[in-house]
Amino acid sequence: MPFTQLIFDLDNTLYPASRGVVDRVDDRINRYMIERVGIAPDAAAPLRARYRDAYGTTLSGLMRHHAIDPDDYLTAIHEIAVEELLAPDAALGAMLTTLAQPKAVFTNGSAGHAERVLSCLGIRTHFARIFSLESVAYVPKPERIAFETVLARLGAAGRDCVFVDDRPDNLATARALGMRTVLVGERSSAGDVPVDGAIASIHDLASLLARF
Ligand SMILES: [Mg+2]
């Protein structure tokens, strides 16, 4: 069955985790919790882990339990020098050009962060749509409602889509909605989560999709 939409996660999917972008965002999240929310320094890391497990993102926990403003949070945590970490990826652009389907980004980050990352990688023009955390009412992947919002905006059914992400929990929801799923990154398997394909690098996507 052919697919008509390609949906990509952003961070650690369109570039490797080793670039350190997510590490810098994580540092900013910790600082935000300590400096803006007033959480004790040694409590920040365990609380983040608890919020991520319970609600998908640290932001969801902070909104629920500390009434923080999500836009203030998203602006603060993404104030990192992405251009120091990412460079134009001509090979990725060339690979994307070979894929005729419309492409969207679906990220748990902010729209501004997505724009900066795609621009630094030199691939912004390949993506017709960007679905950021703001565009799904701050309800993150892997929540089903977030994926359903994206599908509705695309006018697509799950079976029309291929979804590419580095996190097995996100791929599990996508698969439950009928999408074909691709795990990208250093993990060679998604553990208990069945996937339709796994690639070490996003550069390998076109050759994998040729077999779908
Ligand atoms: Mg990711």
Side-chain angles (χ1 to χ4, degrees), residues 167-176 181 183 189-196:
R167 290 185 52 121
D169 52 353
N170 296 337
L171 295 167
T173 307
R175 192 178 169 94
T181 53
L183 175 71
S189 104
D192 297 340
V193 176
V195 293
D196 296 290

Side-chain angles (χ1 to χ4, degrees), residues 9-13 22 141 165-167 170:
D9 173 48
L10 181 80
D11 293 305
N12 294 355
T13 290
V22 171
K141 295 178 285 183
D165 199 298
D166 65 299
R167 290 185 52 121
N170 296 337

